[in-house]
Amino acid sequence: MRDLIRPAAELPEADVCLVGLPLDYGTVLEGGRAGAAHAPNAIRRELRRYHKTYNLEHNVCLDGLRLADAGNLDLSHPAHETNHQTIRRELARLLGQYPRVVVLGGSHDGTYSTVRGLHDARGGQPVGGINLDAHADVKDRPGLISSGTPFGKLLREGVLAGPRFTEIGLHSNLNTWDDINFLHQQQARLVPLAQVQQDGMTEYMRRALRHATAGGGAFVSFDLDCCAEAYAPAVSAPSADGLTPRQAVEAAFLAGREPDVLLFELVELNPLLDRDNQTARLAATILAAYLTGVAALLQS
């Protein structure tokens, strides 16, 4: 895989552009474990080191993909809000240049501004999306941009269309009644973890993609804490229960195959707490599945 990824300066035109968000302050604000700022480089290392360009399961070769890497955004400003302005501006720019952008995060508050960047790139039209996550992340905290607030802010501001938004993998005892009730009021769709474990991922993801892309461009945000701690120990908020790697890979592949998914994110990896790069390798495997989906789409 390392031979496919070229600096964005060398590939002004590409099928996918990677960009890193070295950000974790939003997680710290929620009482989570600091360290997600180191995630972008950890995911890149595992993707380049571990993964090949041929996918046996789908008989798809990625060699024809043009993969640009825009590096990591400079999010070192002491003002949290200023860093979010940078994310929004740069994501809008990249989405105006490339057909698809993959965000390597970073704490989940970054999604508030990556999706606003998508919104800007689409001329201010409301967007659709999918959040694969243990937590709904719709807390109502005016004036605070934290990892627990991005989707609530986006829904309340009209950037994200409620009927085009699905939350997949929500855990049974990690969300409040108020947050779930708010999502119902927004006409969002909820797929609890128990339903995925009972019925599998594929049909729920396909259905969510149909809703998300009904009005055009959409995003898929993948919080690694939706995976069980046995598979993903190094996340900001680990849980004993969760998705399996197989379910995660299935979701990512389907996201890549959907032409109207313009933004794909991997967030909340915390490399400082990893075991033999286990979680970083899972993140890279999910990313490889997404890229396989893109390659399958372009070859179809």
Side-chain angles (χ1 to χ4, degrees):
M1 196 77 78
R2 64 179 178 271
D3 297 328
L4 295 184
I5 304 171
R6 310 301 304 164
E10 298 178 12
L11 279 179
E13 295 182 359
D15 301 304
V16 179
C17 181
L18 311 179
V19 63
L21 267 59
L23 188 74
D24 62 12
Y25 184 63
T27 295
V28 174
L29 286 173
E30 289 287 349
R33 308 187 294 181
H38 301 277
N41 291 342
I43 297 172
R44 286 187 181 97
R45 281 194 300 271
E46 289 304 309
L47 185 67
R48 293 172 186 271
R49 185 186 73 82
Y50 186 72
H51 291 82
K52 306 297 186 287
T53 59
Y54 173 68
N55 183 279
L56 173 63
E57 177 183 358
H58 298 286
N59 192 29
V60 170
C61 190
L62 279 65
D63 287 346
L65 274 186
R66 297 169 298 168
L67 302 180
D69 191 342
N72 295 340
L73 299 185
D74 181 1
L75 304 178
S76 60
H77 197 281
H80 189 47
E81 294 77 7
T82 300
N83 290 326
H84 271 269
Q85 291 169 8
T86 298
I87 296 169
R88 178 178 183 174
R89 180 182 66 249
E90 290 303 304
L91 262 291
R93 181 183 67 81
L94 290 172
L95 286 161
Q97 181 176 354
Y98 297 100
R100 301 167 195 83
V101 172
V102 170
V103 169
L104 309 177
S107 50
H108 215 166
D109 58 293
T111 299
Y112 173 58
S113 293
T114 61
V115 173
R116 288 193 299 162
L118 173 61
H119 181 256
D120 294 344
R122 287 184 41 76
Q125 294 295 316
V127 302
I130 300 170
N131 180 37
L132 292 112
D133 202 331
H135 314 91
D137 290 347
V138 295
K139 294 177 182 177
D140 187 10
R141 295 184 174 177
L144 182 67
I145 306 174
S146 74
S147 61
T149 66
F151 301 107
K153 287 183 174 296
L154 292 166
L155 288 163
R156 292 180 178 96
E157 294 173 7
V159 173
L160 174 58
R164 295 175 55 199
F165 180 52
T166 303
E167 301 245 28
I168 298 178
L170 298 179
H171 285 213
S172 296
N173 293 99
L174 297 181
N175 296 280
T176 68
W177 183 90
D178 288 338
D179 288 348
I180 299 304
N181 187 51
F182 167 76
L183 286 165
H184 287 314
Q185 291 173 355
Q186 295 291 317
Q187 301 178 55
R189 292 170 171 82
L190 310 182
V191 182
L193 172 63
Q195 289 182 229
V196 177
Q197 291 173 330
Q198 175 178 303
D199 304 324
M201 173 64 74
T202 300
E203 187 53 39
Y204 289 120
M205 190 65 184
R206 285 177 174 160
R207 192 179 307 162
L209 286 166
R210 286 196 298 270
H211 292 304
T213 60
F219 69 88
V220 172
S221 187
F222 201 111
D223 188 328
L224 290 162
D225 72 20
C226 72
C227 295
E229 187 175 8
Y231 308 113
V235 295
S236 302
S239 301
D241 201 1
L243 299 182
T244 66
R246 169 51 24 188
Q247 292 164 340
V249 162
E250 289 172 352
F253 174 79
L254 291 171
R257 286 221 49 168
E258 172 51 58
D260 285 327
V261 171
L262 310 181
L263 172 65
F264 182 80
E265 301 185 322
L266 287 164
V267 301
E268 295 293 0
L269 166 66
N270 189 333
L272 301 184
L273 301 167
D274 218 350
R275 298 191 300 241
D276 190 27
N277 302 316
Q278 176 184 351
T279 315
R281 193 171 301 121
L282 174 60
T285 299
I286 294 169
L287 175 52
Y290 167 79
L291 295 174
T292 301
V294 173
L297 169 68
L298 296 179
Q299 293 171 25
S300 63

